[in-house]
Amino acid sequence: MLLLVSGASAVGKSTARMHARHLLDDTFENAELFTLGPIPAVPTIAWRQEQVEVAVVRAIALEAEGKHLLFAGDPVPLGEALAAPSADRIDIAACLLDVDEQAHLARLAQRGEPEELIPLHQGFAAWLRAHATDPGHVTEAITTDAWPEMRWDRWIGRGPGPEWAMTVLDTSRLAPEQVGAEVADWCRRAVAGEAPVFRAAWFKG
C-alpha cells in the first residue's frame, strides 16, 4: 500500500515521518521526494508529479514483499497520487495534516518564511482542505503545467461523495511526537482497512 501524508508547508509532514518511522515495524518503508532522486534547482509541478510516480512504483515493488511505503514530507495532493500512471496497480490511502490559521501563521513565522509568500502557503492549505472532500475544487491548481503522463481522467469531473475520502488530522495543538504517533496509528489502521483507502483501479468501479 502507498500511504500518502499530505499537507501545506509547516504542518509537520517531515517531522511526522521521522517520528512515525520509529513507531512502525519493518513492513513500513518511508520516503519523501529528496530520498527518491536529486531535486532540481527549480522544482516544477511536472517534476514533482514524475517523482510521485517513482514513489508509486516503489510501493508496488514493496507490496510484492508484503510491505508498504509511507510517503510523507512534501506537498503532494491526493489527486496527484491517484493520477500517477501506475497508481491503478496499488492501494492508496491518504492523510491530510491540517492546521488552523493562527497556528499556521505562527509556524511559518518560526520558519522564517518571507512575508510575501505567506498568503500562498495559506491559500494552498485552504485548497488542500477543500480537495480532501471535493475532487472538483479548482482542479487547475495541480493540472496546469502538469507532467503529460498524468491520468487526470481517473477523477477529474467527479464531485464530492463517499468514494472520495481521506483521513484529516488537525495538528494545531499537537507536539511533533504526538503527530508522529497519530500518523503511525493511521498507517496501521489503513493497512487493516479501518481508514479510507482507494483500492487499486477504484475509479473503474
Side-chain angles (χ1 to χ4, degrees):
M1 181 180 292
L2 175 65
L3 298 144
L4 170 69
V5 175
S6 184
S9 294
V11 299
K13 301 181 298 298
S14 292
T15 302
R17 180 178 71 86
M18 292 174 60
H19 286 285
R21 67 182 181 181
H22 297 300
L23 301 172
L24 295 167
D25 62 32
D26 60 6
T27 62
F28 293 87
E29 185 176 294
N30 69 92
E32 56 183 291
L33 291 181
F34 82 88
T35 69
L36 298 173
I39 298 179
V42 182
T44 64
I45 290 176
W47 169 81
R48 183 181 72 207
Q49 293 166 353
E50 287 188 71
Q51 292 303 98
V52 171
E53 168 69 358
V54 173
V56 169
V57 170
R58 178 58 184 161
I60 292 169
L62 287 171
E63 184 177 56
E65 303 172 14
K67 298 181 178 180
H68 315 282
L69 181 64
L70 171 58
F71 185 38
D74 306 286
V76 175
L78 168 62
E80 286 187 342
L82 295 176
S86 300
D88 59 344
R89 298 166 50 199
I90 189 77
D91 292 348
I92 297 176
C95 177
L96 175 67
L97 301 188
D98 200 6
V99 65
D100 65 39
E101 183 177 4
Q102 182 179 4
H104 197 199
L105 286 172
R107 294 184 190 183
L108 290 170
Q110 186 177 31
R111 282 175 47 160
E113 286 290 337
E115 188 172 344
E116 64 271 18
L117 295 182
I118 289 178
L120 297 178
H121 292 305
Q122 290 182 296
F124 190 55
W127 182 85
L128 284 168
R129 199 173 297 126
H131 183 66
T133 58
D134 181 6
H137 179 74
V138 193
T139 57
E140 58 268 28
I142 56 175
T143 60
T144 301
D145 298 322
W147 183 36
E149 298 301 316
M150 296 294 276
R151 294 292 310 277
W152 305 116
D153 57 292
R154 291 175 183 159
W155 59 267
I156 291 289
R158 291 176 179 265
E163 75 284 352
W164 186 268
M166 62 186 297
T167 299
V168 178
L169 175 60
D170 186 345
T171 71
S172 304
R173 306 292 176 262
L174 297 180
E177 297 82 0
Q178 292 174 304
V179 179
E182 291 281 355
V183 168
D185 180 64
W186 165 74
C187 288
R188 298 186 196 98
R189 289 189 292 109
V191 168
E194 298 169 359
V197 175
F198 290 82
R199 299 299 178 187
W202 66 276
F203 51 91
K204 295 180 181 179

